[in-house]
Amino acid sequence: MTLEQTTRVRKTLGKVGALIFIVFFASVLDSCVARFREPLFTVHLLPGASEPVEGQVDHDLKDLDLLRVETSTETIQLKIDRFQTGYWLGGNMWIGSISAAADAAAGTYDLRVFAVNKPPDAPVAAFRAHVYPDYPSLRKSFLSVIRRTFDIPPGTVALACLPVLGVVLGMIYLLGRRVERLLALEGRAEVFMVKEAPGGIEVYFGLGKGQGVEPGRIVQLRTENDQLICEAVVQQVDENNAMALADERAEKLPHGALVVLASSTEKID
């Protein structure tokens, strides 16, 4: 690809990368907002489906028979399968699931878990199950905008964005290196840093001794469209990079500004 083609593709990929990042951020935000808006201890079900649930109990409670479940209807059941230690804060947890029978009627149902070592009127956990007649009705209940609109969990969208964004950024990096090489062949380089200094504005660019740059040489600062901004005098050089001192016109360079080597005979002592 030519320099113009490579630059155009890199810009396009930059826009694609920005779009992917926006989608990633929006997915994460949508997932977090949906979780915060969802009432605690609430599950949404279709007839014949189930959802995992869990709850905390005392450390000395190790027998499942010491837990009792009350439900407002026999078609909605809470089954406790086992105990386990909490992942983050430790503690004794029970793990189970709430299921709706295939003939469960649409509606809202309450379920409560009691322990024998607690007062009979004080449940250790209470859940509310919302049963929907069909999937479209269930989908309308989703608090995630992405899931409600596209029927895709926002977490899945966010995870899918990561490898795609990685590939795009990798391609941008490789194309950027190619642009640098093609520009260097023409005696040009993109400005990668600008700093204020006592004597003016320091402009840093990716041309060095290999391209004939030396202290005292005059370089031109130009826009991406090749319009002259000002001239600068090279102050420091290494093998691959250099710094030139310009006047205040270089303080706010436009995006894509370039350093162009002036005639090699132009030099200031």
Side-chain angles (χ1 to χ4, degrees):
M1 287 191 295
T2 64
L3 174 60
E4 182 179 351
Q5 291 171 330
T6 305
T7 303
R8 190 185 311 118
V9 172
R10 186 179 64 163
K11 287 184 177 179
T12 301
L13 285 175
K15 295 177 181 178
V16 172
L19 179 61
I20 294 172
F21 180 79
I22 291 173
V23 172
F24 170 79
F25 181 78
S27 302
V28 172
L29 181 63
D30 183 55
S31 178
C32 293
V33 170
R35 287 181 180 275
F36 280 117
R37 290 180 60 198
E38 181 70 65
L40 294 175
F41 311 112
T42 301
V43 296
H44 301 268
L45 297 167
L46 288 174
S50 64
E51 285 289 332
V53 290
E54 60 188 36
Q56 292 275 355
V57 290
D58 292 341
H59 283 279
D60 56 352
L61 195 64
K62 300 296 183 182
D63 189 349
L64 293 179
D65 292 335
L66 300 179
L67 295 176
R68 176 174 57 87
V69 176
E70 283 188 1
T71 177
S72 55
T73 176
E74 291 300 319
T75 58
I76 309 297
Q77 294 292 328
L78 193 163
K79 181 183 178 183
I80 299 175
D81 299 315
R82 68 186 187 279
F83 291 108
Q84 75 173 33
T85 303
Y87 293 113
W88 305 109
L89 301 177
N92 189 25
M93 299 179 62
W94 59 263
I95 305 297
S97 61
I98 295 177
S99 59
D103 58 348
T108 301
Y109 304 93
D110 293 318
L111 305 98
R112 297 186 298 175
V113 180
F114 296 88
V116 296
N117 61 343
K118 297 292 182 181
D121 58 345
V124 294
F127 295 89
R128 176 156 291 177
H130 296 280
V131 180
Y132 299 86
D134 50 39
Y135 187 75
S137 300
L138 174 62
R139 182 172 167 178
K140 290 179 181 179
S141 74
F142 294 152
L143 296 177
S144 163
V145 176
I146 293 176
R147 192 175 183 191
R148 189 169 62 247
T149 305
F150 302 104
D151 200 20
I152 304 174
T156 301
V157 176
L159 288 175
C161 286
L162 293 177
V164 178
L165 185 60
V167 171
V168 171
L169 292 178
M171 293 178 65
I172 291 174
Y173 172 77
L174 294 175
L175 289 173
R177 295 297 300 271
R178 178 173 174 79
V179 167
E180 289 177 3
R181 291 194 296 270
L182 293 174
L183 284 172
L185 293 175
E186 299 178 0
R188 297 189 292 165
E190 293 181 330
V191 175
F192 62 79
M193 187 169 66
V194 174
K195 280 197 326 183
E196 291 188 20
I201 305 298
E202 294 180 349
V203 179
Y204 294 80
F205 55 97
L207 293 173
K209 295 178 180 178
Q211 289 77 39
V213 181
E214 57 183 351
R217 182 165 184 174
I218 296 175
V219 297
Q220 296 177 342
L221 299 180
R222 292 182 172 271
T223 66
E224 196 174 12
N225 297 324
D226 207 33
Q227 295 178 335
L228 179 65
I229 300 172
C230 64
E231 292 186 336
V233 181
V234 176
Q235 305 295 312
Q236 301 172 7
V237 187
D238 61 24
E239 290 299 323
N240 301 305
N241 301 292
M243 183 274 286
L245 192 65
D247 58 32
E248 65 278 358
R249 287 176 291 177
E251 184 174 1
K252 294 184 178 179
L253 294 176
H255 176 73
L258 298 171
V259 170
V260 180
L261 297 183
S263 172
S264 60
T265 60
E266 297 184 48
K267 182 176 177 181
I268 298 178
D269 294 327

